[in-house]
Amino acid sequence: MNKKFVLPTLLLLPMSVLANEAHTTQHEQVTNKFIKSQREKLEQNTVGKGFGPQSPRDIDSIAGENPITFGAAPAYSNMNLCNIHFHKNAEHKGGEFTHYAGNGDGHGYLGGYQYTGSLTSSELAPVHHEVCPSAHDSLYPGETIEVHYVHSTAQVTPGPTLGSCLNESINNPQLRVETQVFVLVNDHNAANFMDLTQIGEVQGFHQALNIPDSTGKPVQYAGSTTGPGYNEQGSPFQVSWSVRPKVVKVDIDSVGQWCQGNPFNEDHAHGVRNLVTNPKLLSEITQ
């Protein structure tokens, strides 16, 4: 973030104005027509083919017309954690993350949704090193990430990619994603991502030990896997989602530390899938 946007006379700065202001200008944003075309192709490639409900979605809207149903996965405490990864900007919309980041580059980067609250100038102060750099971008104070704690009913151990959620004995396990949205701050007193991703064994199940439990009642719904690879194609995976509506501030340096080494081989933020808005591709939220 460019220092010229941090005014010492301001105590609270709106995220929509300041976060990521300087470096987003380095990337082209596709047009609304381009996003509309992707959504049209998604509909064309799924109509009449029996795809189940898709993700991500607006968790504040309960509407959905997809007729495919499947049994909800057990509580995550009765499943094995198999993967943890995160996306730059929230894939889901709702709760405290409803500010549209923009159309992005059409391939999942710089799209999605951002924290709608305010942060102090010190929380937004720039860090003088790259955090989780990739060919697309790095992470900056004030940005939003959506973390996916993926769980499986298969007998598996935590590891890289969705493949870690499957095994030779059960190739169609039930899947659950516990979802928490975070906002990155330059504050070592904020939540520590190393703690938030700590794993261990509890009553015979591999678990993430410190998933936040004070960020509102999770919105639970039937959906699919996400990621920009499904912007124009339907995801064939059935996933039970739990999306917490409130955001947690997390120390950006602790996220950078995690990216430097973790059991999931994650070293950067993933792109986001376009928000699914076609009612025919969404489940009805009944809880």
Side-chain angles (χ1 to χ4, degrees):
M1 176 181 160
N2 194 311
K3 288 185 179 179
K4 70 180 180 181
F5 293 101
V6 180
L7 302 179
T9 57
L10 297 181
L11 295 179
L12 291 174
L13 305 175
M15 297 306 306
S16 59
V17 173
L18 292 175
N20 204 19
E21 183 78 26
H23 45 87
T24 52
T25 57
Q26 300 172 5
H27 301 269
E28 290 288 335
Q29 294 266 336
V30 298
T31 64
N32 291 340
K33 183 178 180 180
F34 185 94
I35 299 298
K36 180 181 178 182
S37 173
Q38 286 188 317
R39 288 200 166 108
E40 289 173 347
K41 289 177 182 176
L42 176 62
E43 180 171 10
Q44 292 166 5
N45 291 330
T46 54
V47 66
K49 295 183 179 180
F51 277 94
Q54 301 289 294
S55 301
R57 67 174 295 156
D58 183 343
I59 61 170
D60 290 338
S61 172
I62 65 172
E65 300 174 5
N66 189 278
I68 305 298
T69 60
F70 56 90
Y76 74 87
S77 56
N78 294 322
M79 304 174 71
N80 281 309
L81 176 79
C82 52
N83 182 259
I84 299 175
H85 65 273
F86 66 86
H87 299 257
K88 182 167 179 173
N89 294 329
E91 288 199 291
H92 288 84
K93 174 188 178 183
E96 296 182 336
F97 37 96
T98 59
H99 176 71
Y100 187 46
N103 291 336
D105 66 353
H107 303 286
Y109 293 94
L110 300 181
Y113 292 84
Q114 298 171 334
Y115 175 50
T116 51
S118 297
L119 299 175
T120 66
S121 58
S122 62
E123 290 173 324
L124 287 167
V127 293
H128 301 291
H129 51 270
E130 288 195 304
V131 177
C132 305
S134 71
H136 300 279
D137 208 351
S138 299
L139 298 178
Y140 302 87
E143 292 192 319
T144 300
I145 61 172
E146 179 173 309
V147 177
H148 292 167
Y149 300 88
V150 190
H151 297 76
S152 172
T153 54
Q155 187 173 322
V156 294
T157 56
T161 77
L162 183 62
S164 297
C165 303
L166 314 174
N167 67 11
E168 294 181 354
S169 300
I170 301 177
N171 275 323
N172 64 335
Q174 290 178 290
L175 300 173
R176 174 175 291 282
V177 179
E178 296 294 318
T179 306
Q180 178 64 57
V181 175
F182 297 91
V183 61
L184 308 175
V185 294
N186 188 353
D187 181 2
H188 295 319
N189 292 318
N192 187 296
F193 200 67
M194 298 296 290
D195 294 336
L196 291 162
T197 54
Q198 184 179 355
I199 59 177
E201 193 168 310
V202 180
Q203 297 183 342
F205 294 103
H206 297 287
Q207 295 280 285
L209 302 177
N210 298 310
I211 298 176
D213 59 3
S214 59
T215 48
K217 181 181 178 181
V219 175
Q220 302 198 38
Y221 77 93
S224 69
T225 53
T226 63
Y230 295 118
N231 277 342
E232 299 179 5
Q233 303 289 334
S235 167
F237 292 94
Q238 296 178 333
V239 178
S240 297
W241 284 86
S242 297
V243 185
R244 291 153 178 77
K246 295 184 179 180
V247 171
V248 174
K249 296 178 182 180
V250 65
D251 175 19
I252 188 171
D253 280 336
S254 68
V255 179
Q257 182 182 357
W258 187 78
C259 283
Q260 292 173 11
N262 55 75
F264 313 102
N265 294 342
E266 294 288 332
D267 61 6
H268 66 280
H270 293 253
V272 301
R273 185 186 189 183
N274 294 338
L275 195 75
V276 178
T277 58
N278 183 346
K280 297 177 182 178
L281 291 175
L282 294 173
S283 62
E284 182 180 10
I285 297 178
T286 57
Q287 296 189 10

